[in-house]
Amino acid sequence: MPRIRTIKPEFWTDGAIISLPYETRLFYIGMWNHACDRGHLSDDPFGLKLKIMPADPIDGADLIQQLVQAGRVRRMSLEDGRGFLVIPRFGDHQRIDTRWTSRCPVCAHLDSQELAETHASYGGNSRTQREGKGGEGKGRKGGENADAPPLYCPSHPNGTDQPCRACGDYRRARTAWEKEQRTQPTPTPRREKTCEIHAEYPLPCDRCAADENGLSA
């Protein structure tokens, strides 16, 4: 769904921008309206041309290639072969309304990767820490791993293209949860106690028992 975007004054004097033809610059701005809040949009030159400059004799593929060469756009593809365009650092230049949730396939792919990495890197440590404290997690019952908070509110379990304050709250809660998982301290391994006389023998010391029974050499 198209969004309202802003243009910073320094855009007009950016060295990489002023070197481009005026129609490429205008096309680039038009792409912002059709990108998601993280700067992703379908790699569809003809479709974008119809949405941005429908009455102008331009070649959308050529304009996109110029932007790629200028470093203003990157190309990527998902595992299913679908191609997308990425506008680098898009979120640094646009004010994002967190009430909106995205159905962008690229965002979903990146979020799933980040979540999988979070569980793989920190899930085991967090569980071990809770078990070391008697099997009870802070604020949780039964010492079980807490499920990740959902990304969307119950009214929109699969997301929505409409503004939803509740979905925005759920996403912020999810972000806070993932941050908390990353900051869980790594538990210190328990060291097995050893005999004070025979340091290489764990307690109870078999060597001491043998000495007491007169079995040692």
Side-chain angles (χ1 to χ4, degrees):
M1 182 176 179
R3 301 282 197 275
I4 297 173
R5 303 301 187 189
T6 59
I7 306 175
K8 292 184 177 180
E10 53 266 28
F11 170 85
W12 306 108
T13 54
D14 185 297
I17 294 297
I18 61 178
S19 63
L20 297 171
Y22 74 89
E23 60 269 22
T24 307
R25 286 176 261 168
L26 181 59
F27 192 83
Y28 182 43
I29 295 173
M31 290 173 63
W32 303 352
N33 293 121
H34 299 280
C36 76
D37 287 342
R38 291 161 73 174
H40 311 137
L41 64 166
S42 295
D43 191 351
D44 180 8
F46 183 71
L48 289 172
K49 190 266 184 192
L50 293 179
K51 294 176 181 178
I52 300 171
M53 304 175 71
D56 296 284
I58 56 96
D59 182 350
D62 180 57
L63 300 188
I64 291 175
Q65 184 58 33
Q66 292 180 38
L67 291 168
V68 170
Q69 292 175 348
R72 294 307 180 184
V73 172
R74 291 189 292 105
R75 279 192 158 101
M76 69 167 293
S77 59
L78 298 182
E79 295 177 354
D80 58 10
R82 286 180 294 174
F84 291 88
L85 302 173
V86 181
I87 302 174
R89 298 180 58 193
F90 188 71
D92 295 345
H93 302 285
Q94 298 296 327
R95 184 176 181 179
I96 305 305
D97 189 344
T98 56
R99 293 176 300 172
W100 292 88
T101 56
S102 174
R103 292 185 178 179
C104 169
V106 180
C107 291
H109 174 71
L110 295 177
D111 288 342
S112 65
Q113 281 191 328
E114 181 179 353
L115 183 60
E117 182 179 352
T118 298
H119 284 307
S121 300
Y122 302 98
N125 290 343
S126 298
R127 184 180 179 88
T128 302
Q129 182 192 27
R130 287 194 293 272
E131 290 175 348
K133 293 184 178 180
E136 295 181 2
K138 183 178 179 181
R140 300 178 179 90
K141 296 181 180 180
E144 297 179 356
N145 274 332
D147 292 332
L151 283 171
Y152 310 110
C153 75
S155 299
H156 308 112
N158 298 316
T160 176
D161 288 333
Q162 301 301 318
C164 176
R165 186 180 298 275
C167 284
D169 293 338
Y170 270 82
R171 295 196 70 171
R172 283 190 289 272
R174 174 67 165 268
T175 300
W177 179 87
E178 292 177 351
K179 183 178 180 180
E180 190 270 339
Q181 297 301 306
R182 294 190 182 97
T183 56
Q184 291 287 350
T186 302
T188 302
R190 296 179 59 183
R191 298 185 61 183
E192 191 174 19
K193 293 183 179 180
T194 58
C195 177
E196 295 181 357
I197 301 175
H198 310 106
E200 71 275 13
Y201 285 81
L203 293 177
C205 178
D206 294 337
R207 178 76 176 273
C208 288
D211 290 344
E212 291 177 359
N213 296 324
L215 301 177
S216 60

